[in-house]
Amino acid sequence: MTSAPRLTPEAELVLALQMGDSAYPTGGFAYSWGLETLIADGLVTRRTLPVWARAELEGRWHGVDRIALAGAWRAQDTAGLEAWDGIIDLHLWSELQRVQSQQAGAATLVAATRLDLPGAAAMRDSVAANRMAGHFAVLTGALYRAAGLRLETALLLSAQGVLRVLLSAAVRLGKAGALEVQAIMTRLAPDLLRLAEPPPPGALPCGFGPLSDIAQMRPRNGRLFVN
């Protein structure tokens, strides 16, 4: 794997702002992660949207994506990254979740390759050769590390990105306004900072989000989002 450049705090901030921008091409914004079905079923409403978003951060991102990203960031070489991706693949219990995580990762990898980001070509080759599945959080962690972001910055960027994706889905589904979403993000900022602490080395994913897990597996016609 490409060695990470040493960035000044100012340079890291500029890079984080770029990679965390909603216009930055990733595979996340095509997915509602179950919200579309939950809204259709009346299980998430405008009033309960902040509660659901916090539950997703705590139950899914903190226990699964945070661990997956940190392990990928800590991988010392391509073989280590491939092995870690295999471990994450085993911990995604739903086949649909595994497929959609790979789809989001593939979209991210296409953008990273076209932008000629450090390490992207080697990861693309590993996925193409079926040496790794290429899960979204794993590829994101490796790309952030190769770009020069510290683990703490990478985790904050990931957590805020997940929250932004979830809440922007609510806006596109007509269940929240732009200012309302910003108020929710401000309200959840302390939770985000608390949950984005780096996990200890060797930690394994363990998440629990039954509402979203079931919603993502339920078929529904006329979807706006992939899941």
PDB file of all heavy atoms in Angstrom, residues 202-223:
ATOM      1  N   GLY A 202      -7.745  -4.499  16.829  1.00  0.00           N
ATOM      2  CA  GLY A 202      -8.249  -5.861  16.947  1.00  0.00           C
ATOM      3  C   GLY A 202      -9.732  -5.957  17.235  1.00  0.00           C
ATOM      4  O   GLY A 202     -10.286  -7.063  17.274  1.00  0.00           O
ATOM      5  N   ALA A 203     -10.411  -4.820  17.455  1.00  0.00           N
ATOM      6  CA  ALA A 203     -11.847  -4.850  17.720  1.00  0.00           C
ATOM      7  C   ALA A 203     -12.589  -5.385  16.502  1.00  0.00           C
ATOM      8  O   ALA A 203     -12.219  -5.116  15.353  1.00  0.00           O
ATOM      9  CB  ALA A 203     -12.341  -3.448  18.058  1.00  0.00           C
ATOM     10  N   LEU A 204     -13.644  -6.161  16.752  1.00  0.00           N
ATOM     11  CA  LEU A 204     -14.446  -6.745  15.679  1.00  0.00           C
ATOM     12  C   LEU A 204     -15.817  -6.084  15.630  1.00  0.00           C
ATOM     13  O   LEU A 204     -16.325  -5.619  16.655  1.00  0.00           O
ATOM     14  CB  LEU A 204     -14.597  -8.256  15.896  1.00  0.00           C
ATOM     15  CG  LEU A 204     -13.312  -9.073  15.780  1.00  0.00           C
ATOM     16  CD1 LEU A 204     -13.589 -10.529  16.119  1.00  0.00           C
ATOM     17  CD2 LEU A 204     -12.715  -8.957  14.382  1.00  0.00           C
ATOM     18  N   PRO A 205     -16.439  -6.036  14.459  1.00  0.00           N
ATOM     19  CA  PRO A 205     -17.737  -5.369  14.340  1.00  0.00           C
ATOM     20  C   PRO A 205     -18.843  -6.109  15.070  1.00  0.00           C
ATOM     21  O   PRO A 205     -18.882  -7.337  15.097  1.00  0.00           O
ATOM     22  CB  PRO A 205     -17.982  -5.353  12.824  1.00  0.00           C
ATOM     23  CG  PRO A 205     -17.155  -6.462  12.292  1.00  0.00           C
ATOM     24  CD  PRO A 205     -15.947  -6.544  13.167  1.00  0.00           C
ATOM     25  N   CYS A 206     -19.730  -5.335  15.640  1.00  0.00           N
ATOM     26  CA  CYS A 206     -20.902  -5.894  16.331  1.00  0.00           C
ATOM     27  C   CYS A 206     -21.970  -4.814  16.348  1.00  0.00           C
ATOM     28  O   CYS A 206     -21.918  -3.896  17.175  1.00  0.00           O
ATOM     29  CB  CYS A 206     -20.538  -6.333  17.750  1.00  0.00           C
ATOM     30  SG  CYS A 206     -21.929  -7.039  18.658  1.00  0.00           S
ATOM     31  N   GLY A 207     -22.916  -4.868  15.409  1.00  0.00           N
ATOM     32  CA  GLY A 207     -23.939  -3.842  15.307  1.00  0.00           C
ATOM     33  C   GLY A 207     -25.330  -4.419  15.459  1.00  0.00           C
ATOM     34  O   GLY A 207     -25.553  -5.618  15.290  1.00  0.00           O
ATOM     35  N   PHE A 208     -26.287  -3.530  15.762  1.00  0.00           N
ATOM     36  CA  PHE A 208     -27.664  -3.968  15.949  1.00  0.00           C
ATOM     37  C   PHE A 208     -28.590  -2.832  15.533  1.00  0.00           C
ATOM     38  O   PHE A 208     -28.643  -1.788  16.188  1.00  0.00           O
ATOM     39  CB  PHE A 208     -27.907  -4.338  17.410  1.00  0.00           C
ATOM     40  CG  PHE A 208     -29.280  -4.920  17.666  1.00  0.00           C
ATOM     41  CD1 PHE A 208     -29.642  -6.116  17.090  1.00  0.00           C
ATOM     42  CD2 PHE A 208     -30.192  -4.264  18.472  1.00  0.00           C
ATOM     43  CE1 PHE A 208     -30.904  -6.665  17.317  1.00  0.00           C
ATOM     44  CE2 PHE A 208     -31.451  -4.803  18.711  1.00  0.00           C
ATOM     45  CZ  PHE A 208     -31.818  -6.010  18.129  1.00  0.00           C
ATOM     46  N   GLY A 209     -29.275  -3.004  14.407  1.00  0.00           N
ATOM     47  CA  GLY A 209     -30.241  -2.025  13.933  1.00  0.00           C
ATOM     48  C   GLY A 209     -31.414  -2.743  13.314  1.00  0.00           C
ATOM     49  O   GLY A 209     -31.554  -2.746  12.088  1.00  0.00           O
ATOM     50  N   PRO A 210     -32.269  -3.374  14.135  1.00  0.00           N
ATOM     51  CA  PRO A 210     -33.292  -4.268  13.592  1.00  0.00           C
ATOM     52  C   PRO A 210     -34.272  -3.595  12.646  1.00  0.00           C
ATOM     53  O   PRO A 210     -34.648  -4.197  11.626  1.00  0.00           O
ATOM     54  CB  PRO A 210     -34.002  -4.797  14.845  1.00  0.00           C
ATOM     55  CG  PRO A 210     -33.688  -3.800  15.920  1.00  0.00           C
ATOM     56  CD  PRO A 210     -32.332  -3.290  15.609  1.00  0.00           C
ATOM     57  N   LEU A 211     -34.694  -2.371  12.943  1.00  0.00           N
ATOM     58  CA  LEU A 211     -35.653  -1.713  12.061  1.00  0.00           C
ATOM     59  C   LEU A 211     -35.068  -1.545  10.660  1.00  0.00           C
ATOM     60  O   LEU A 211     -35.681  -1.911   9.655  1.00  0.00           O
ATOM     61  CB  LEU A 211     -36.033  -0.344  12.633  1.00  0.00           C
ATOM     62  CG  LEU A 211     -37.130  -0.304  13.694  1.00  0.00           C
ATOM     63  CD1 LEU A 211     -37.352   1.127  14.171  1.00  0.00           C
ATOM     64  CD2 LEU A 211     -38.430  -0.880  13.160  1.00  0.00           C
ATOM     65  N   SER A 212     -33.872  -0.993  10.592  1.00  0.00           N
ATOM     66  CA  SER A 212     -33.253  -0.743   9.290  1.00  0.00           C
ATOM     67  C   SER A 212     -32.827  -2.037   8.607  1.00  0.00           C
ATOM     68  O   SER A 212     -32.935  -2.166   7.385  1.00  0.00           O
ATOM     69  CB  SER A 212     -32.052   0.180   9.456  1.00  0.00           C
ATOM     70  OG  SER A 212     -32.460   1.429   9.962  1.00  0.00           O
ATOM     71  N   ASP A 213     -32.315  -2.992   9.388  1.00  0.00           N
ATOM     72  CA  ASP A 213     -31.891  -4.258   8.803  1.00  0.00           C
ATOM     73  C   ASP A 213     -33.048  -4.940   8.082  1.00  0.00           C
ATOM     74  O   ASP A 213     -32.904  -5.420   6.951  1.00  0.00           O
ATOM     75  CB  ASP A 213     -31.339  -5.188   9.885  1.00  0.00           C
ATOM     76  CG  ASP A 213     -29.984  -4.739  10.397  1.00  0.00           C
ATOM     77  OD1 ASP A 213     -29.361  -3.893   9.733  1.00  0.00           O
ATOM     78  OD2 ASP A 213     -29.558  -5.237  11.455  1.00  0.00           O
ATOM     79  N   ILE A 214     -34.197  -4.990   8.735  1.00  0.00           N
ATOM     80  CA  ILE A 214     -35.363  -5.644   8.138  1.00  0.00           C
ATOM     81  C   ILE A 214     -35.885  -4.821   6.962  1.00  0.00           C
ATOM     82  O   ILE A 214     -36.243  -5.370   5.916  1.00  0.00           O
ATOM     83  CB  ILE A 214     -36.458  -5.849   9.199  1.00  0.00           C
ATOM     84  CG1 ILE A 214     -35.976  -6.847  10.265  1.00  0.00           C
ATOM     85  CG2 ILE A 214     -37.750  -6.338   8.559  1.00  0.00           C
ATOM     86  CD1 ILE A 214     -36.889  -6.978  11.458  1.00  0.00           C
ATOM     87  N   ALA A 215     -35.901  -3.488   7.124  1.00  0.00           N
ATOM     88  CA  ALA A 215     -36.413  -2.621   6.063  1.00  0.00           C
ATOM     89  C   ALA A 215     -35.593  -2.766   4.789  1.00  0.00           C
ATOM     90  O   ALA A 215     -36.141  -2.746   3.681  1.00  0.00           O
ATOM     91  CB  ALA A 215     -36.413  -1.178   6.535  1.00  0.00           C
ATOM     92  N   GLN A 216     -34.274  -2.905   4.932  1.00  0.00           N
ATOM     93  CA  GLN A 216     -33.421  -3.020   3.757  1.00  0.00           C
ATOM     94  C   GLN A 216     -33.658  -4.325   2.991  1.00  0.00           C
ATOM     95  O   GLN A 216     -33.389  -4.399   1.790  1.00  0.00           O
ATOM     96  CB  GLN A 216     -31.948  -2.944   4.177  1.00  0.00           C
ATOM     97  CG  GLN A 216     -31.513  -1.565   4.610  1.00  0.00           C
ATOM     98  CD  GLN A 216     -30.045  -1.534   4.981  1.00  0.00           C
ATOM     99  OE1 GLN A 216     -29.180  -1.838   4.171  1.00  0.00           O
ATOM    100  NE2 GLN A 216     -29.749  -1.158   6.211  1.00  0.00           N
ATOM    101  N   MET A 217     -34.153  -5.342   3.683  1.00  0.00           N
ATOM    102  CA  MET A 217     -34.366  -6.637   3.044  1.00  0.00           C
ATOM    103  C   MET A 217     -35.754  -6.774   2.425  1.00  0.00           C
ATOM    104  O   MET A 217     -36.013  -7.729   1.695  1.00  0.00           O
ATOM    105  CB  MET A 217     -34.142  -7.761   4.060  1.00  0.00           C
ATOM    106  CG  MET A 217     -32.710  -7.892   4.521  1.00  0.00           C
ATOM    107  SD  MET A 217     -32.444  -9.342   5.567  1.00  0.00           S
ATOM    108  CE  MET A 217     -33.364  -8.871   7.041  1.00  0.00           C
ATOM    109  N   ARG A 218     -36.633  -5.821   2.714  1.00  0.00           N
ATOM    110  CA  ARG A 218     -38.003  -5.929   2.216  1.00  0.00           C
ATOM    111  C   ARG A 218     -38.114  -5.348   0.815  1.00  0.00           C
ATOM    112  O   ARG A 218     -37.739  -4.204   0.578  1.00  0.00           O
ATOM    113  CB  ARG A 218     -38.954  -5.190   3.152  1.00  0.00           C
ATOM    114  CG  ARG A 218     -39.182  -5.887   4.474  1.00  0.00           C
ATOM    115  CD  ARG A 218     -40.213  -5.130   5.286  1.00  0.00           C
ATOM    116  NE  ARG A 218     -41.421  -4.913   4.506  1.00  0.00           N
ATOM    117  CZ  ARG A 218     -42.302  -3.946   4.772  1.00  0.00           C
ATOM    118  NH1 ARG A 218     -42.089  -3.106   5.768  1.00  0.00           N
ATOM    119  NH2 ARG A 218     -43.385  -3.809   4.031  1.00  0.00           N
ATOM    120  N   PRO A 219     -38.652  -6.099  -0.138  1.00  0.00           N
ATOM    121  CA  PRO A 219     -38.834  -5.567  -1.497  1.00  0.00           C
ATOM    122  C   PRO A 219     -39.980  -4.559  -1.527  1.00  0.00           C
ATOM    123  O   PRO A 219     -40.955  -4.678  -0.789  1.00  0.00           O
ATOM    124  CB  PRO A 219     -39.179  -6.816  -2.314  1.00  0.00           C
ATOM    125  CG  PRO A 219     -39.811  -7.744  -1.326  1.00  0.00           C
ATOM    126  CD  PRO A 219     -39.109  -7.490  -0.014  1.00  0.00           C
ATOM    127  N   ARG A 220     -39.826  -3.535  -2.356  1.00  0.00           N
ATOM    128  CA  ARG A 220     -40.895  -2.550  -2.529  1.00  0.00           C
ATOM    129  C   ARG A 220     -40.758  -1.927  -3.908  1.00  0.00           C
ATOM    130  O   ARG A 220     -39.666  -1.551  -4.317  1.00  0.00           O
ATOM    131  CB  ARG A 220     -40.822  -1.461  -1.446  1.00  0.00           C
ATOM    132  CG  ARG A 220     -42.102  -0.616  -1.372  1.00  0.00           C
ATOM    133  CD  ARG A 220     -42.095   0.244  -0.124  1.00  0.00           C
ATOM    134  NE  ARG A 220     -41.119   1.318  -0.208  1.00  0.00           N
ATOM    135  CZ  ARG A 220     -41.320   2.463  -0.851  1.00  0.00           C
ATOM    136  NH1 ARG A 220     -42.468   2.667  -1.490  1.00  0.00           N
ATOM    137  NH2 ARG A 220     -40.404   3.376  -0.878  1.00  0.00           N
ATOM    138  N   ASN A 221     -41.871  -1.822  -4.611  1.00  0.00           N
ATOM    139  CA  ASN A 221     -41.846  -1.280  -5.963  1.00  0.00           C
ATOM    140  C   ASN A 221     -41.742   0.241  -5.934  1.00  0.00           C
ATOM    141  O   ASN A 221     -42.150   0.895  -4.977  1.00  0.00           O
ATOM    142  CB  ASN A 221     -43.115  -1.695  -6.722  1.00  0.00           C
ATOM    143  CG  ASN A 221     -43.174  -3.201  -6.955  1.00  0.00           C
ATOM    144  OD1 ASN A 221     -42.152  -3.839  -7.146  1.00  0.00           O
ATOM    145  ND2 ASN A 221     -44.386  -3.749  -6.962  1.00  0.00           N
ATOM    146  N   GLY A 222     -41.210   0.808  -7.003  1.00  0.00           N
ATOM    147  CA  GLY A 222     -41.165   2.249  -7.137  1.00  0.00           C
ATOM    148  C   GLY A 222     -40.193   2.942  -6.214  1.00  0.00           C
ATOM    149  O   GLY A 222     -40.441   4.059  -5.759  1.00  0.00           O
ATOM    150  N   ARG A 223     -39.087   2.308  -5.921  1.00  0.00           N
ATOM    151  CA  ARG A 223     -38.111   2.904  -5.001  1.00  0.00           C
ATOM    152  C   ARG A 223     -37.389   4.089  -5.643  1.00  0.00           C
ATOM    153  O   ARG A 223     -37.087   4.103  -6.822  1.00  0.00           O
ATOM    154  CB  ARG A 223     -37.058   1.860  -4.611  1.00  0.00           C
ATOM    155  CG  ARG A 223     -37.570   0.786  -3.656  1.00  0.00           C
ATOM    156  CD  ARG A 223     -36.401  -0.098  -3.215  1.00  0.00           C
ATOM    157  NE  ARG A 223     -36.827  -1.172  -2.366  1.00  0.00           N
ATOM    158  CZ  ARG A 223     -37.000  -1.063  -1.052  1.00  0.00           C
ATOM    159  NH1 ARG A 223     -36.786   0.081  -0.470  1.00  0.00           N
ATOM    160  NH2 ARG A 223     -37.376  -2.091  -0.330  1.00  0.00           N
TER     161      ARG A 223
END
